[in-house]
Amino acid sequence: MLLKPTFVVKSVRFSLLVVILTFASSWAYSGKLDKAFIALKEYNYFKAKGLFEKGIKKQSSPATFGLATIYYRKDNPFHNLDSALRYILISEAQYGTLKDKLKDRYKKYGFDYLNILELRSNISSQFFVRAKERNTVEAYTRFIETHPWSNELFNATKIRDSIAYDKVLLKNTSKDYKEFIDKYPDSYLKETAWQDFYRTQYHEFTKTNSLLSYIEFIAKCPNNPYVRAAEDRVFEIVTEPNTVQSYKTFIDTYPKNRNVGEAWRKLYQTYMLDFDDQRIVKFKKDFPAYPYKDELETDLKLLKLDLLPFKSNVLYGYMDLSGKVVIPAEYEQLGFFHEGLAFAVKNEKYGFIDKGNRVVVPFEYESVTDFEQGRSIVEINDKLGVVDRSGAVVFPVEFDEIGILSEGLVYVSKNDMYAYYDKNFNLRIPFRFNEAYNFQNGKAKVQVDGKQGVIDIYGTFLVPPAYEDINFFNDSLLVFEENEYYGIMRKNTEIVSPANFDEIGVLNLNRALAVFEDLIGYLDGTGKMVIKAQYETYPNYVKRGQFKSNLAVVKQKGKYGVIDRNGKVIIPLAFNDLGEISSLMAFSKGKGWGFIDQTGKVIIQPEFDFAESFVNETAIVEKLTLQGVIDNKGKIIVPLTFTSVDRLTKNLFLVSNGSKNGIYSISGEMVVPLNYQQIRVVDDRFIVLVNNNELHYYYPAENKVIIPRVVE
């Protein structure tokens, strides 16, 4: 019975001994770590590494911190970033298990939690450098996944996404854009990727440009913002004939299309080509569902009213063709009516009024353009926008530049970048160009980083931006500029003619003037030189040297002549000067100017001091510094008594005595006397006559001058 208590006492003593030994062992290891940190401080890496490795089991956090430090440093043979990362992560994870007394003890050696995090961050920075050296999506992804605490995480993610997106851009398919979005849902490029996804999806569905392709796109991709553009294309395709029936078919077939209202207005405009009151009455009967009946009544009242601006003192109003004042002079400035509206200015602000003097667009703009296709460009605080006929803002007034609506698209600029919108302010091609131009035949020039290229209506490059300047030579070839010289290439940039030419003109009659080493030759439509460069340049050679009626003016050894498209000399090079190609061409052999026909036969002897070639069977000539006009028989139509004569229209000449201007008709009648300071054509039907503070008009259709009857 006495043995059991003895055993208990021995057991207790044994336990106490174990505790004492363990405590002593811990402090013994602590002493070793002190020596390890001291050795590390003294750059004795071999000793420090051995002591730290022995201390891992007992005091993991400080020991692995020391090892991570050694492996991180580059001044020892143990440098290894992978090992440094492994040990610093152990140190950070085990720091919480270390007794506070030991934390305080090792703090003097630079060991604490903040220094662990700092070392971890420094190690990660080196891994980021390694990722940048590889510069691959995989390298950055691995870094992002294994270093979520890194200070470089944001940059790594951004670079990774940029590299990944560059690969997607090369493939340029909606599938790849969507995969990018799904794979990197938080990417800074997400919005750009969505835009490109929608664009390419639209392009892929509608690449055939068929009506069915647009209908299918609308049905299958209702959330794509290009649905609006697709609806516009459906509208354009169905109504392409521009007939009443085509618009009616569109309205009946696509009643939910956003262009139905526009279709009704187009239907009305097409129906009203013969614009009179009976036609409006008939339209109302034929189309009782027309939604804009009030507009019909207004048009009915004003359709026959022709109005012209007149000036009274410093204000403007409108008069009719008899000179009767219809709208009093109450505006600071007025324009001509276009599409039933005219700009007006009050309190230095522009707006639009109709023929009933009703304000349609408020007076709130610094400048405006005349309405074209139902749109006007307006300006506020040096920014441009677009309004429609109702005054509603179609494009917000926030752009630096707005081009002309061409083939359904208009370029705009903002913050020195250019994009393309349709007329309803749908973004069709994003802001990605440094310069942009109007569309022609489905193509437009753009500029990127100082180089020009060509895009289609989807914004896809037909010709990549690679040259200083490019222009279409014909449907398949382009003229490009390189180092101030010109050449010809295909759309894929394959060179047809190197950039050796000083100039390449416009292709006309399958011939284009080309200047090589200051000599003129001619290229055909393939870019081949078919008439070698042998002729001299001369004043206005670009215009006179272009083929017209299969003929062109050339100069050689100081003499002028005419060749045909095959280079055959038609009129010998024996003239001191020649005018433009015409039925009767002005010529000079040194003593006066006369006229020859296209065979070189003299028709009118050289009796003038100067002459221009015939246009519309008349020519402007000069004698003793005074000018006039003759017909093709040499008969004087406009007497040679004027200091200058210019063509005003096809059948009218502007004449001047130096201070006053008048107008002669092609029949030789002075239709406007020499009473006006300025005469200019500003409207298709009327010519403005300005005299001091008055505005008069010449109306060719009735051969009369219109003067306000009552000046207010």
mmCIF file with all atom_site columns, all heavy atoms in Angstrom, residues 660-662 672-677 690-691:
data_model
loop_
_atom_site.group_PDB
_atom_site.id
_atom_site.type_symbol
_atom_site.label_atom_id
_atom_site.label_alt_id
_atom_site.label_comp_id
_atom_site.label_asym_id
_atom_site.label_entity_id
_atom_site.label_seq_id
_atom_site.pdbx_PDB_ins_code
_atom_site.Cartn_x
_atom_site.Cartn_y
_atom_site.Cartn_z
_atom_site.occupancy
_atom_site.B_iso_or_equiv
_atom_site.pdbx_formal_charge
_atom_site.auth_seq_id
_atom_site.auth_comp_id
_atom_site.auth_asym_id
_atom_site.auth_atom_id
_atom_site.pdbx_PDB_model_num
ATOM 1  N N   . LYS A 1 660 ? -18.506 99.601  -108.280 1.00 0.00 ? 660 LYS A N   1
ATOM 2  C CA  . LYS A 1 660 ? -19.879 99.127  -108.281 1.00 0.00 ? 660 LYS A CA  1
ATOM 3  C C   . LYS A 1 660 ? -19.995 97.886  -109.161 1.00 0.00 ? 660 LYS A C   1
ATOM 4  O O   . LYS A 1 660 ? -19.221 97.696  -110.109 1.00 0.00 ? 660 LYS A O   1
ATOM 5  C CB  . LYS A 1 660 ? -20.837 100.209 -108.788 1.00 0.00 ? 660 LYS A CB  1
ATOM 6  C CG  . LYS A 1 660 ? -20.922 101.436 -107.875 1.00 0.00 ? 660 LYS A CG  1
ATOM 7  C CD  . LYS A 1 660 ? -21.669 101.122 -106.592 1.00 0.00 ? 660 LYS A CD  1
ATOM 8  C CE  . LYS A 1 660 ? -21.886 102.389 -105.765 1.00 0.00 ? 660 LYS A CE  1
ATOM 9  N NZ  . LYS A 1 660 ? -22.662 102.136 -104.540 1.00 0.00 ? 660 LYS A NZ  1
ATOM 10 N N   . ASN A 1 661 ? -21.000 97.071  -108.848 1.00 0.00 ? 661 ASN A N   1
ATOM 11 C CA  . ASN A 1 661 ? -21.191 95.811  -109.553 1.00 0.00 ? 661 ASN A CA  1
ATOM 12 C C   . ASN A 1 661 ? -22.589 95.727  -110.146 1.00 0.00 ? 661 ASN A C   1
ATOM 13 O O   . ASN A 1 661 ? -23.548 96.307  -109.609 1.00 0.00 ? 661 ASN A O   1
ATOM 14 C CB  . ASN A 1 661 ? -20.989 94.638  -108.597 1.00 0.00 ? 661 ASN A CB  1
ATOM 15 C CG  . ASN A 1 661 ? -19.609 94.642  -107.986 1.00 0.00 ? 661 ASN A CG  1
ATOM 16 O OD1 . ASN A 1 661 ? -18.640 94.311  -108.652 1.00 0.00 ? 661 ASN A OD1 1
ATOM 17 N ND2 . ASN A 1 661 ? -19.522 95.020  -106.710 1.00 0.00 ? 661 ASN A ND2 1
ATOM 18 N N   . GLY A 1 662 ? -22.688 94.971  -111.234 1.00 0.00 ? 662 GLY A N   1
ATOM 19 C CA  . GLY A 1 662 ? -23.968 94.702  -111.866 1.00 0.00 ? 662 GLY A CA  1
ATOM 20 C C   . GLY A 1 662 ? -23.964 93.318  -112.466 1.00 0.00 ? 662 GLY A C   1
ATOM 21 O O   . GLY A 1 662 ? -23.011 92.553  -112.303 1.00 0.00 ? 662 GLY A O   1
ATOM 22 N N   . VAL A 1 672 ? -29.086 93.704  -114.083 1.00 0.00 ? 672 VAL A N   1
ATOM 23 C CA  . VAL A 1 672 ? -28.924 94.439  -112.823 1.00 0.00 ? 672 VAL A CA  1
ATOM 24 C C   . VAL A 1 672 ? -27.925 95.559  -113.078 1.00 0.00 ? 672 VAL A C   1
ATOM 25 O O   . VAL A 1 672 ? -26.785 95.302  -113.479 1.00 0.00 ? 672 VAL A O   1
ATOM 26 C CB  . VAL A 1 672 ? -28.419 93.523  -111.686 1.00 0.00 ? 672 VAL A CB  1
ATOM 27 C CG1 . VAL A 1 672 ? -28.167 94.346  -110.418 1.00 0.00 ? 672 VAL A CG1 1
ATOM 28 C CG2 . VAL A 1 672 ? -29.413 92.406  -111.391 1.00 0.00 ? 672 VAL A CG2 1
ATOM 29 N N   . PRO A 1 673 ? -28.331 96.806  -112.872 1.00 0.00 ? 673 PRO A N   1
ATOM 30 C CA  . PRO A 1 673 ? -27.433 97.930  -113.167 1.00 0.00 ? 673 PRO A CA  1
ATOM 31 C C   . PRO A 1 673 ? -26.243 97.991  -112.210 1.00 0.00 ? 673 PRO A C   1
ATOM 32 O O   . PRO A 1 673 ? -26.226 97.344  -111.161 1.00 0.00 ? 673 PRO A O   1
ATOM 33 C CB  . PRO A 1 673 ? -28.343 99.148  -112.989 1.00 0.00 ? 673 PRO A CB  1
ATOM 34 C CG  . PRO A 1 673 ? -29.417 98.694  -112.067 1.00 0.00 ? 673 PRO A CG  1
ATOM 35 C CD  . PRO A 1 673 ? -29.643 97.248  -112.378 1.00 0.00 ? 673 PRO A CD  1
ATOM 36 N N   . LEU A 1 674 ? -25.260 98.801  -112.574 1.00 0.00 ? 674 LEU A N   1
ATOM 37 C CA  . LEU A 1 674 ? -24.048 98.956  -111.749 1.00 0.00 ? 674 LEU A CA  1
ATOM 38 C C   . LEU A 1 674 ? -24.336 99.839  -110.544 1.00 0.00 ? 674 LEU A C   1
ATOM 39 O O   . LEU A 1 674 ? -23.861 100.975 -110.440 1.00 0.00 ? 674 LEU A O   1
ATOM 40 C CB  . LEU A 1 674 ? -22.923 99.562  -112.584 1.00 0.00 ? 674 LEU A CB  1
ATOM 41 C CG  . LEU A 1 674 ? -22.240 98.654  -113.605 1.00 0.00 ? 674 LEU A CG  1
ATOM 42 C CD1 . LEU A 1 674 ? -21.419 99.477  -114.576 1.00 0.00 ? 674 LEU A CD1 1
ATOM 43 C CD2 . LEU A 1 674 ? -21.371 97.634  -112.898 1.00 0.00 ? 674 LEU A CD2 1
ATOM 44 N N   . ASN A 1 675 ? -25.102 99.287  -109.600 1.00 0.00 ? 675 ASN A N   1
ATOM 45 C CA  . ASN A 1 675 ? -25.503 100.081 -108.432 1.00 0.00 ? 675 ASN A CA  1
ATOM 46 C C   . ASN A 1 675 ? -25.061 99.467  -107.102 1.00 0.00 ? 675 ASN A C   1
ATOM 47 O O   . ASN A 1 675 ? -25.280 100.067 -106.054 1.00 0.00 ? 675 ASN A O   1
ATOM 48 C CB  . ASN A 1 675 ? -27.032 100.250 -108.399 1.00 0.00 ? 675 ASN A CB  1
ATOM 49 C CG  . ASN A 1 675 ? -27.544 101.126 -109.532 1.00 0.00 ? 675 ASN A CG  1
ATOM 50 O OD1 . ASN A 1 675 ? -26.799 101.947 -110.057 1.00 0.00 ? 675 ASN A OD1 1
ATOM 51 N ND2 . ASN A 1 675 ? -28.796 100.936 -109.907 1.00 0.00 ? 675 ASN A ND2 1
ATOM 52 N N   . TYR A 1 676 ? -24.446 98.267  -107.130 1.00 0.00 ? 676 TYR A N   1
ATOM 53 C CA  . TYR A 1 676 ? -24.299 97.507  -105.891 1.00 0.00 ? 676 TYR A CA  1
ATOM 54 C C   . TYR A 1 676 ? -22.841 97.297  -105.505 1.00 0.00 ? 676 TYR A C   1
ATOM 55 O O   . TYR A 1 676 ? -21.962 97.091  -106.350 1.00 0.00 ? 676 TYR A O   1
ATOM 56 C CB  . TYR A 1 676 ? -25.020 96.166  -106.019 1.00 0.00 ? 676 TYR A CB  1
ATOM 57 C CG  . TYR A 1 676 ? -26.513 96.351  -106.202 1.00 0.00 ? 676 TYR A CG  1
ATOM 58 C CD1 . TYR A 1 676 ? -27.086 96.354  -107.473 1.00 0.00 ? 676 TYR A CD1 1
ATOM 59 C CD2 . TYR A 1 676 ? -27.331 96.580  -105.107 1.00 0.00 ? 676 TYR A CD2 1
ATOM 60 C CE1 . TYR A 1 676 ? -28.442 96.562  -107.648 1.00 0.00 ? 676 TYR A CE1 1
ATOM 61 C CE2 . TYR A 1 676 ? -28.699 96.790  -105.266 1.00 0.00 ? 676 TYR A CE2 1
ATOM 62 C CZ  . TYR A 1 676 ? -29.243 96.782  -106.540 1.00 0.00 ? 676 TYR A CZ  1
ATOM 63 O OH  . TYR A 1 676 ? -30.588 97.002  -106.696 1.00 0.00 ? 676 TYR A OH  1
ATOM 64 N N   . GLN A 1 677 ? -22.630 97.361  -104.191 1.00 0.00 ? 677 GLN A N   1
ATOM 65 C CA  . GLN A 1 677 ? -21.281 97.164  -103.652 1.00 0.00 ? 677 GLN A CA  1
ATOM 66 C C   . GLN A 1 677 ? -20.887 95.691  -103.664 1.00 0.00 ? 677 GLN A C   1
ATOM 67 O O   . GLN A 1 677 ? -19.727 95.340  -103.868 1.00 0.00 ? 677 GLN A O   1
ATOM 68 C CB  . GLN A 1 677 ? -21.208 97.706  -102.216 1.00 0.00 ? 677 GLN A CB  1
ATOM 69 C CG  . GLN A 1 677 ? -21.401 99.210  -102.133 1.00 0.00 ? 677 GLN A CG  1
ATOM 70 C CD  . GLN A 1 677 ? -21.616 99.671  -100.706 1.00 0.00 ? 677 GLN A CD  1
ATOM 71 O OE1 . GLN A 1 677 ? -22.271 98.978  -99.919  1.00 0.00 ? 677 GLN A OE1 1
ATOM 72 N NE2 . GLN A 1 677 ? -21.085 100.841 -100.370 1.00 0.00 ? 677 GLN A NE2 1
ATOM 73 N N   . VAL A 1 690 ? -26.256 93.864  -102.537 1.00 0.00 ? 690 VAL A N   1
ATOM 74 C CA  . VAL A 1 690 ? -26.008 94.651  -101.327 1.00 0.00 ? 690 VAL A CA  1
ATOM 75 C C   . VAL A 1 690 ? -25.580 96.053  -101.725 1.00 0.00 ? 690 VAL A C   1
ATOM 76 O O   . VAL A 1 690 ? -24.623 96.234  -102.486 1.00 0.00 ? 690 VAL A O   1
ATOM 77 C CB  . VAL A 1 690 ? -24.922 94.006  -100.443 1.00 0.00 ? 690 VAL A CB  1
ATOM 78 C CG1 . VAL A 1 690 ? -24.709 94.830  -99.184  1.00 0.00 ? 690 VAL A CG1 1
ATOM 79 C CG2 . VAL A 1 690 ? -25.291 92.570  -100.101 1.00 0.00 ? 690 VAL A CG2 1
ATOM 80 N N   . ASN A 1 691 ? -26.302 97.046  -101.195 1.00 0.00 ? 691 ASN A N   1
ATOM 81 C CA  . ASN A 1 691 ? -25.960 98.438  -101.460 1.00 0.00 ? 691 ASN A CA  1
ATOM 82 C C   . ASN A 1 691 ? -26.135 99.239  -100.183 1.00 0.00 ? 691 ASN A C   1
ATOM 83 O O   . ASN A 1 691 ? -27.264 99.433  -99.718  1.00 0.00 ? 691 ASN A O   1
ATOM 84 C CB  . ASN A 1 691 ? -26.841 99.010  -102.574 1.00 0.00 ? 691 ASN A CB  1
ATOM 85 C CG  . ASN A 1 691 ? -26.410 100.403 -102.977 1.00 0.00 ? 691 ASN A CG  1
ATOM 86 O OD1 . ASN A 1 691 ? -25.243 100.765 -102.851 1.00 0.00 ? 691 ASN A OD1 1
ATOM 87 N ND2 . ASN A 1 691 ? -27.351 101.208 -103.461 1.00 0.00 ? 691 ASN A ND2 1
#
